[in-house]
Amino acid sequence: MAGTERSSGADGGGARSVFGLRSVVGQMFVLQLVVVVLLAVGAVVLLLVMARQESNQEAGSRSLALAEGFARAPGTAVAIVSPNATEVLQPRAEEARKGAGVDFLVVINREGTRLTHPQPDKIGKRSTADLAPLLAGETVVQEWVGSLGPQVRAYVPVRGPDGAIVGAVGAGVTVARIQSAAREQLPAVLGAAGGAVLLSTGGAALLSRRLLRQTHGLGPTEITRLYEHHDAVLHSVREGVLIVARDGRLRLANDEARRLLDLPDDAEGREVAELELPPGIADLLVSGREATDELYEVRDRTLAVSQRPTEGAKGSAVRANGPGGRVATVRDTTELLAMSGRAEAAQGRLQVVYEAGMRIGTTLDVRRTARELAETTVGRFADFVTVDLVDAVLRGEEIQGADRDVRRVVTAGADDAAPFYPEGTRVVLEAATPQARGMATGRTVLQPDLRTEEAWRAQDPDGARRLVEYGVHSLISAPLTARGTLLGAVCFWRAGRSQPFDEEDLALAEEVAARAAVSLDNARRYTREHTMAVTLQHSLMPRYLPVQESVEVAYRYLPAQAGVGGDWFDVIPLPGARVALVVGDVVGHGLHAAATMGRLRTAVHNFSALDLPPDDILGHLDELVDRMDQERTPGDAGPNVTGATCLYAIYDPITGDCVMARAGHPPPVVIHPDGSIHIPDVPVSPPLGTGSGLPVETARLHLPEGARIVLYTDGLVERPDRDIDVGLDLLRDAVADRPELDPEETCRAVLAALPGAQPRDDVALLVARTHRLAPERIAEWRVPSDTAAVGAVRAECAAKLRAWGLDDIVFTTELILSELVTNAVRYAAQPITVRMIHSSSLICEVFDGSSTAPHLRRAAITDEGGRGLFLVAQLAVRWGTRYTSWGKVIWTEQALEGPAAPAGGPDLADALLDQWNL
């Protein structure tokens, strides 16, 4: 039918249909035409290219011949070097150029100046020719773009009578002249190509018209599609197809229609009314009305029948010009209807499993993970969900044995009034309950009808009765087990009109419980590791600040959201009533960072005990961090110390000076007593452990009484979404023009503005307000280099102690100062100074200009000296030596209160006898 209709269209269209691209003939004709045109165009292009090449060669030969002839012409060489070269050569050159048919003939001298040119205004100007090969005696032929345009030119050197090069002659032909020669051949070439195209097109058209009549104008795709559709409709489609003609006869019935309607073999061609079809289907086919999925019961099947007319379908010549009729489809929906309900339920279960994988375990918090488990399943799988966990899980501890004592962590449901145990209730499960049985066996327990079950009531009969009265009727209890560890149980409850749980629901409950158990165990492990890390870090951080009078201190430490880190701070009392303020930061988080922080903090304390300046301490810390990485063995998989920063400051309350140095650390902020803000320019050195080898520089500040110095780590002012300069501005704004704030209030103000509720990095903040020692609590004497002066200094010191009300330690102090001053006078150099400081303890300092420090040792019986320093060590609480830029200081410290303070004077007999080996 399709072939007949298309054939009539082809005949009617005549030769015009030959050019239709949808038919096989049209495609062949277009292909032949394209090939012929491409061949013709290629021939024309080839001929033009060959003609141009020949013209270029001819132009080059003509130019070279003319240049050589003119260069060797008698008198040319002599004329070039003559004073009137242009007058002699210009007429000759123009005559030769016109006779040879070239565009220019140019004569140049050795300097490249044109002596002749077709354009007189170019004479006397420098030529564009390359003189180097010409002066070397070489002939040059090249394509060039000159004053006359694109050209082919040749230059020939001109030799004088003595054989020397005196100039050159150049001749050339422009591309325009060459192209004009090629254009003369173009009409003939194009005419031949056009004739070939017309002849080939005519022959192809005649052949295509004949083929068009034989193929009826069908394209290859249409032929293949018609066959495939016909075969699929008849044999492969699992849907019955009936085509009924306008006269009511059955024109086509595929295999599926014959099976569903039990049609006879000779059904095609017969009237539909004679086929003994089911009454409803027969009436529909006879009437011809449109129908969509009308259901009919045929024996034990439910058939869905649709019908559409075939007349007037848009875009179809077959239907528009055909005999008309209708097409009906028949589908067996018996199994589909039965499966639709189960499919919807299965899809709901899969959706619950998918959301459980996406929503459960988004955090490493045990309680939050349990609530995510409940929120994922309530309303989709169960009406109520309860989660009971072992107490050890909540604490992040290891679980020992099978514990049936659990705590209700989550109770979730559509109605908050359900009589379940409230959250936080401790529940001791009875062995007969579904929860206890599931936890004991590790298997999910199904209770489809709680109204008839008695075992689950043993836990709480009154509570079970209230649940049943509320409408709860079905239960699935799934144990929460991960990595062989029992964590608790989750119970899914259904109430009201919800369908009871069945065996198919068990798989979903087990899958969701298994996923949630892994997330809960991860959260438990994280809680344990986090607790251990926090405990370790807290043990490494200062537990209390030492008592000292130099500064009033407040501090804050905020752990990062990602866990513990390596930020630390310290306040270290130093000799001479000074105090060291330290803030540091180890890059990274976790136990490794905390342990590294502990090592660095211990090292800072040790270096501070040596009373080293800030630059020396940071230098030693840099070497220490570098050695930490060198200590790693090849098999050590632990992380490297990727870097650390530190700021170390020493404040002297006597002078008010603060010396500080920093290695890769943010600068301090100084708040003056009037509320003004100052960020001192402290030279920054590379971070610790970088191996730069650069020296550490220090800065000295003078801090007035009551000034506040703010030390912090970068987590306070720096965030991924904010530059450090913005953080410093926020820090300044938080404390600027607020002189009334004490250190504690300053900490609160800073943390209120920075760094946020949950910082991504650790934050250590240390605020110290400076104090100055009153001048009347400091006494100082200059000592001459005379042992006789020791007694006078000792007497003045004793008088000062009595004035301070320290009569109990006068005698002890006199012994200490006598020994130290005597040693300084005998063995050290000037200047020698004695200073006493009355703070929380009595500090005695002896300054001298020598760098040699005494060492404590036990003198032998035969030794005449060596016992004085031993006596000093026995009488003082602490003593030591520190070095200055001009010498050293030997200091002692005596307690004024507490168990170390003297009570009625020291036992001098024991102290003296201890100096001999008796």
Side-chain angles (χ1 to χ4, degrees):
M1 295 175 60
T4 302
E5 297 299 328
R6 185 59 58 89
S7 177
S8 62
D11 291 340
R16 183 174 52 190
S17 300
V18 172
F19 303 100
L21 295 181
R22 296 186 59 186
S23 65
V24 176
V25 176
Q27 295 175 11
M28 291 179 59
F29 175 76
V30 172
L31 179 61
Q32 292 175 356
L33 181 61
V34 170
V35 171
V36 171
V37 171
L38 290 178
L39 290 175
V41 172
V44 171
V45 173
L46 180 61
L47 289 174
L48 291 177
V49 172
M50 293 178 62
R52 182 175 179 180
Q53 290 180 348
E54 292 177 357
S55 299
N56 286 345
Q57 293 176 358
E58 181 182 355
S61 300
R62 187 187 305 174
S63 302
L64 180 60
L66 178 60
E68 288 180 343
F70 197 85
R72 292 178 174 82
T76 300
V78 176
I80 290 175
V81 297
S82 64
N84 55 348
T86 300
E87 296 179 2
V88 175
L89 295 175
Q90 177 70 5
R92 297 180 186 178
E94 284 300 296
E95 182 180 357
R97 179 183 67 82
K98 295 176 181 179
V102 299
D103 289 290
F104 68 89
L105 180 64
V106 179
V107 180
I108 62 177
N109 57 19
R110 285 181 59 85
E111 289 75 22
T113 305
R114 297 189 184 101
L115 302 179
T116 68
H117 197 278
Q119 298 177 359
D121 59 334
K122 303 293 184 180
I123 298 175
K125 297 181 179 180
R126 186 172 181 83
S127 172
T128 59
D130 188 3
L131 296 177
L134 296 175
L135 296 178
E138 299 179 3
T139 298
V140 178
V141 179
Q142 60 183 180
E143 293 184 6
W144 189 258
V145 179
S147 59
L148 298 178
Q151 55 195 245
V152 178
R153 66 183 186 180
Y155 276 87
V156 177
V158 179
R159 298 182 181 273
D162 57 353
I165 305 298
V166 298
V169 177
V173 179
T174 62
V175 174
R177 183 184 294 273
I178 299 172
Q179 291 179 349
S180 63
R183 292 194 191 98
E184 295 175 357
Q185 304 176 12
L186 184 60
V189 173
L190 293 178
V197 171
L198 291 177
L199 182 61
S200 300
T201 303
L206 292 176
L207 292 175
S208 300
R209 184 176 180 84
R210 183 170 187 137
L211 289 173
L212 181 65
R213 293 174 180 174
Q214 295 180 357
T215 60
H216 304 288
L218 294 177
T221 304
E222 292 177 335
I223 295 175
T224 304
R225 186 170 61 249
L226 285 175
Y227 174 79
E228 292 176 349
H229 287 183
H230 185 268
D231 183 77
V233 170
L234 287 180
H235 307 297
S236 301
V237 173
R238 306 318 308 168
E239 184 172 344
V241 177
L242 300 170
I243 298 178
V244 181
R246 184 178 300 172
D247 59 1
R249 294 182 178 276
L250 182 63
R251 299 293 299 273
L252 177 68
N254 68 349
D255 295 347
E256 185 69 8
R258 293 175 182 274
R259 184 182 70 84
L260 295 176
L261 299 178
D262 197 16
L263 296 177
D265 295 338
D266 60 347
E268 295 181 358
R270 297 172 57 183
E271 292 186 3
V272 175
E274 299 176 358
L275 295 179
E276 298 182 358
L277 297 173
I281 297 178
D283 296 341
L284 175 62
L285 296 178
V286 171
S287 65
R289 63 181 175 82
E290 292 189 15
T292 302
D293 287 339
E294 293 187 1
L295 300 180
Y296 297 92
E297 297 292 335
V298 179
R299 295 181 296 275
D300 57 346
R301 300 177 183 273
T302 301
L303 303 182
V305 182
S306 300
Q307 183 170 252
R308 293 290 185 275
T310 59
E311 295 92 341
K314 295 181 180 180
S316 176
V318 177
R319 293 180 176 179
N321 301 323
R326 56 259 185 198
V327 60
T329 60
V330 183
R331 292 183 294 110
D332 187 358
T333 62
T334 305
E335 297 180 359
L336 181 61
L337 293 175
M339 293 178 59
S340 61
R342 294 195 298 268
E344 291 180 1
Q347 184 178 8
R349 295 190 185 97
L350 290 176
Q351 183 67 23
V352 172
V353 173
Y354 171 77
E355 292 194 8
M358 296 296 294
R359 295 180 57 186
I360 299 177
T362 58
T363 65
L364 291 174
D365 181 79
V366 174
R367 296 181 183 275
R368 179 58 190 164
T369 302
R371 189 161 299 279
E372 289 171 346
L373 165 61
E375 293 174 350
T376 302
T377 52
V378 164
R380 293 179 175 88
F381 178 66
D383 297 312
F384 299 94
V385 176
T386 59
V387 181
D388 302 325
L389 298 178
V390 179
D391 276 340
V393 177
L394 300 175
R395 297 190 299 268
E397 300 174 355
E398 291 292 341
I399 301 174
Q400 304 295 332
D403 192 353
R404 290 204 303 266
D405 295 347
V406 295
R407 189 174 299 277
R408 178 65 49 86
V409 178
V410 175
T411 299
D415 189 355
D416 296 337
F420 290 99
Y421 290 139
E423 295 179 3
T425 303
R426 182 172 179 80
V427 182
V428 180
L429 297 175
E430 295 291 337
T433 59
Q435 297 94 319
R437 283 188 285 138
M439 294 173 64
T441 61
R443 302 179 63 87
T444 304
V445 177
L446 169 64
Q447 297 286 330
D449 190 357
L450 295 176
R451 293 166 295 190
T452 61
E453 297 288 343
E454 295 296 333
W456 75 287
R457 301 175 185 268
Q459 178 68 39
D460 184 1
D462 293 336
R465 177 182 53 79
R466 289 194 298 270
L467 285 175
V468 173
E469 292 175 352
Y470 185 78
V472 177
H473 57 74
S474 188
L475 164 66
I476 289 181
S477 178
L480 296 171
T481 305
R483 304 179 181 94
T485 302
L486 180 63
L487 310 175
V490 55
C491 293
F492 304 99
W493 311 79
R494 284 185 179 175
R497 298 182 179 180
S498 300
Q499 293 293 326
F501 289 114
D502 54 25
E503 295 293 335
E504 294 183 357
D505 295 321
L506 284 177
L508 172 61
E510 291 174 350
E511 177 68 21
V512 173
R515 295 186 179 218
V518 173
S519 298
L520 287 169
D521 192 52
N522 290 338
R524 177 187 66 85
R525 290 169 177 260
Y526 171 78
T527 301
R528 181 189 61 187
E529 299 295 336
H530 181 72
T531 302
M532 292 173 56
V534 170
T535 303
L536 172 62
Q537 186 181 39
H538 286 176
S539 66
L540 297 175
M541 294 287 286
R543 298 187 180 182
Y544 62 91
L545 295 181
V547 177
Q548 43 78 38
E549 296 182 302
S550 302
V551 291
E552 178 186 353
V553 178
Y555 63 90
R556 292 290 189 277
Y557 174 76
L558 300 180
Q561 183 179 2
V564 297
D567 292 15
W568 90 92
F569 62 90
D570 250 319
V571 178
I572 306 173
L574 298 178
R578 299 169 303 144
V579 64
L581 305 175
V582 190
V583 175
D585 183 6
V586 176
V587 176
H589 297 89
L591 288 175
H592 179 75
T596 303
M597 177 269 289
R599 296 178 67 178
L600 292 180
R601 180 170 175 261
T602 301
V604 169
H605 273 268
N606 293 335
F607 294 144
S608 299
L610 300 176
D611 209 352
L612 299 175
D615 51 345
D616 286 352
I617 289 182
L618 293 186
H620 289 306
L621 287 179
D622 182 60
E623 296 177 0
L624 175 63
V625 174
D626 189 49
R627 285 198 304 271
M628 287 182 184
D629 280 336
Q630 295 177 3
E631 292 172 357
R632 291 167 49 86
T633 60
D636 189 359
N640 290 328
V641 181
T642 57
T645 66
C646 183
L647 188 149
Y648 191 95
I650 297 178
Y651 173 69
D652 189 344
I654 298 176
T655 63
D657 292 337
C658 182
V659 181
M660 62 180 64
R662 60 188 180 118
H665 204 80
V669 175
V670 177
I671 309 172
H672 291 279
D674 59 356
S676 60
I677 304 297
H678 172 57
I679 298 181
D681 185 15
V682 181
V684 58
S685 301
L688 304 176
T690 57
S692 63
L694 298 176
V696 180
E697 300 183 42
T698 61
R700 181 178 296 272
L701 310 176
H702 183 75
L703 302 178
E705 171 76 20
R708 285 168 288 164
I709 180 169
V710 181
L711 307 180
Y712 54 91
T713 56
D714 59 356
L716 180 70
V717 295
E718 190 174 12
R719 288 194 332 203
D721 58 343
R722 186 180 66 202
D723 190 70
I724 188 172
D725 292 335
V726 178
L728 287 175
D729 292 339
L730 294 175
L731 175 58
R732 279 194 291 258
D733 295 341
V735 296
D737 299 327
R738 304 179 69 181
E740 75 282 357
L741 299 181
D742 60 15
E744 188 67 29
E745 294 170 339
T746 303
C747 286
R748 287 197 293 265
V750 170
L751 294 184
L754 297 158
Q758 291 182 328
R760 296 190 177 184
D761 194 9
D762 289 17
V763 175
L765 174 64
L766 181 65
V767 179
R769 180 159 61 185
T770 62
H771 296 292
R772 297 285 295 273
L773 288 180
E776 59 271 14
R777 299 177 65 184
I778 304 171
E780 187 171 326
W781 300 272
R782 185 69 176 269
V783 182
S785 297
D786 185 2
T787 56
V790 176
V793 172
R794 184 173 60 237
E796 293 181 8
C797 292
K800 192 64 177 178
L801 290 175
R802 293 187 180 92
W804 285 341
L806 303 179
D807 301 81
D808 293 340
I809 61 172
V810 170
F811 184 68
T812 305
T813 307
E814 285 183 316
L815 290 177
I816 293 174
L817 288 177
S818 295
E819 178 61 29
L820 296 182
V821 174
T822 301
N823 288 341
V825 170
R826 287 180 177 178
Y827 307 112
Q830 288 288 345
I832 301 174
T833 305
V834 176
R835 183 170 67 178
M836 289 196 311
I837 303 171
H838 180 201
S839 80
S840 57
S841 61
L842 179 66
I843 301 171
C844 298
E845 296 177 329
V846 178
F847 298 81
D848 62 60
S850 173
S851 59
T852 303
H855 295 281
L856 179 64
R857 63 184 180 87
R858 185 182 293 274
I861 298 177
T862 58
D863 292 341
E864 296 183 1
R867 298 176 179 82
L869 193 60
F870 189 88
L871 180 63
V872 170
Q874 296 295 317
L875 299 178
V877 176
R878 293 192 305 159
W879 75 279
T881 304
R882 74 173 183 269
Y883 294 92
T884 64
S885 58
W886 46 268
K888 69 175 183 296
V889 181
I890 301 179
W891 56 270
T892 64
E893 183 176 339
Q894 298 167 257
L896 303 180
E897 297 178 356
D907 190 348
L908 297 181
D910 293 339
L912 292 173
L913 290 176
D914 285 342
Q915 299 178 67
W916 281 269
N917 294 321
L918 298 177

